[in-house]
Amino acid sequence: MRRNSMSATDTAPEPSVSPARARTLVVNTGTEPASAPPRATPGAVLKAYIALTKPRIVELLLITTVPAMFLAARLADNGLPNLLTVIVVVIGGAMAAGAANALNCYLDRDIDHLMRRTSRRPIPLHTIAPEHALVFGLILSVVSIALIWTFTNLLAAALTLAAIAYYDLVYTLWLKRTTAANTVWGGVCGAAPVLIGWAAVTGTLSWEAWILFAVVFFWQPPHFWALAIKYKDDYAAAGIPMLPVVASLRRVGLESVIYAWLTLITSLALWPLATTPVYGVVALVTGGMFCLEAHKMHNRARRGENVKPMRLFHWSTSYLTLLFVAVAVDSFLL
């Protein structure tokens, strides 16, 4: 705090100052309220609310949902899914995933500001108040579940509710903060959209639906561990026990190889049950490349080299996209 150098008892005369040139000296005594930060523009607030939903994650979830719906309709009725059902599941599913992500941002507000990767999210930046993010997430949850229930069926709506609750209450609040197996068991909610889409079309869950669920479930650990390696210091600073934080890179590489192979084997299990050789070839080639990238990362870790985790991360995203595009295309060939 700045203070005048002259005390109240000093009697030295002050130099005369003409009124025309007189200036007012304002001294901050610490009692004045701090000036409020500039208000965000409506456009910036809208972008912040969209950012809360994590659109890139939502997009990846829908990539698995829609092809599953096409395969479900082909196997159940030898036809195509009802267009209204597809639209409802796409909109409702996007809203549900966005709701889960918004609630995740609210629940993780105590650690997001500690990590470089998440420090630019709306709550750490104070663009959106935490309580507003909470209300936003809850409203999206209710609307998405009601939409899916109204236009599809109770099973699809119940699975949507379960996926939101699992992601925010089981994964975010418990698994993520307590165990290195968080990524493995967190795969349940990541794979749930496949079941939601299938149930919306058929009202049931067949073996084929559970196989697709297992593909996404086994795919998630190597995909996310690769990202966690890059941001290992962030997770360590926040006290989050991701596997790359608590284990050696050799172990992370080895487990990535195991789950990549489980993904490939599970994806091939769908071939004789529900698909043509078109899907089988795509699953074999792309899954083989997925396993190859996992092996390369593991071998680099064993040699003590830079493991280059983002190579596996980016290919894993491409792999899942190509595999489910093959599911959709194959449903027209059955």
Side-chain angles (χ1 to χ4, degrees):
M1 183 185 300
R2 297 186 60 189
R3 298 180 182 272
N4 292 327
S5 59
M6 185 179 292
S7 70
T9 59
D10 288 332
T11 58
E14 296 182 358
S16 65
V17 180
S18 63
R21 299 180 61 188
R23 296 179 181 177
T24 302
L25 177 63
V26 179
V27 179
N28 184 359
T29 63
T31 59
E32 295 84 357
S35 59
R39 293 175 62 89
T41 64
V45 173
L46 177 61
K47 289 181 180 179
Y49 274 105
I50 294 174
L52 279 178
T53 66
K54 306 178 187 176
R56 294 181 66 181
I57 296 178
V58 173
E59 178 185 354
L60 190 60
L61 294 176
L62 292 179
I63 285 173
T64 64
T65 306
V66 175
M69 297 176 71
F70 274 83
L71 183 59
R74 178 62 69 183
L75 295 179
D77 301 318
N78 196 30
L80 297 175
N82 179 275
L83 180 59
L84 177 61
T85 301
V86 174
I87 293 173
V88 166
V89 171
V90 168
I91 295 175
M95 292 176 66
N101 289 329
L103 294 173
N104 168 266
C105 288
Y106 170 78
L107 296 172
D108 274 351
R109 66 193 185 280
D110 60 325
I111 59 174
D112 274 352
H113 72 282
L114 300 174
M115 300 194 293
R116 184 176 70 255
R117 185 174 70 90
T118 57
S119 62
R120 304 294 297 175
R121 287 177 178 172
I123 294 179
L125 288 178
H126 305 290
T127 309
I128 295 176
E131 59 270 21
H132 294 168
L134 174 62
V135 172
F136 176 64
L138 291 175
I139 291 175
L140 276 184
S141 298
V142 172
V143 172
S144 64
I145 294 167
L147 184 65
I148 292 175
W149 189 357
T150 301
F151 290 96
T152 63
N153 54 65
L154 179 59
L155 176 58
L159 289 169
T160 303
L161 172 61
I164 295 172
Y166 189 97
Y167 181 65
D168 290 313
L169 301 180
V170 178
Y171 173 74
T172 301
L173 284 180
W174 176 39
L175 294 173
K176 181 178 181 178
R177 298 168 183 249
T178 59
T179 174
N182 49 22
T183 301
V184 175
W185 296 112
V188 170
C189 43
V194 171
L195 301 182
I196 294 170
W198 198 285
V201 172
T202 67
T204 61
L205 295 174
S206 66
W207 280 108
E208 294 86 357
W210 287 107
I211 290 174
L212 286 176
F213 172 89
V215 170
V216 183
F217 178 83
F218 289 133
W219 164 87
Q220 184 163 300
H223 169 76
F224 195 77
W225 283 333
L227 188 66
I229 290 173
K230 180 177 180 179
Y231 294 104
K232 179 175 67 173
D233 293 341
D234 271 6
Y235 287 113
I240 302 300
M242 292 294 176
L243 187 63
V245 174
V246 301
S248 68
L249 290 179
R250 292 183 62 175
R251 178 183 166 189
V252 177
L254 177 60
E255 294 203 24
S256 296
V257 167
I258 293 172
Y259 279 99
W261 275 101
L262 286 173
T263 305
L264 172 60
I265 293 169
T266 307
S267 69
L268 292 176
L270 185 67
W271 183 1
L273 292 177
T275 58
T276 73
V278 172
Y279 166 84
V281 171
V282 173
L284 183 61
V285 173
T286 58
M289 293 177 66
F290 183 36
C291 292
L292 180 61
E293 282 298 331
H295 276 284
K296 286 181 177 179
M297 189 179 79
H298 181 222
N299 290 336
R300 286 190 290 266
R302 291 174 58 192
R303 294 192 297 264
E305 300 172 357
N306 179 4
V307 294
K308 302 177 181 178
M310 297 309 289
R311 290 185 54 172
L312 176 59
F313 175 80
H314 290 306
W315 174 248
S316 65
T317 303
S318 299
Y319 161 74
L320 196 70
T321 302
L322 292 171
L323 184 73
F324 275 84
V325 167
V327 170
V329 170
D330 207 73
S331 66
F332 289 93
L333 304 176
L334 288 173

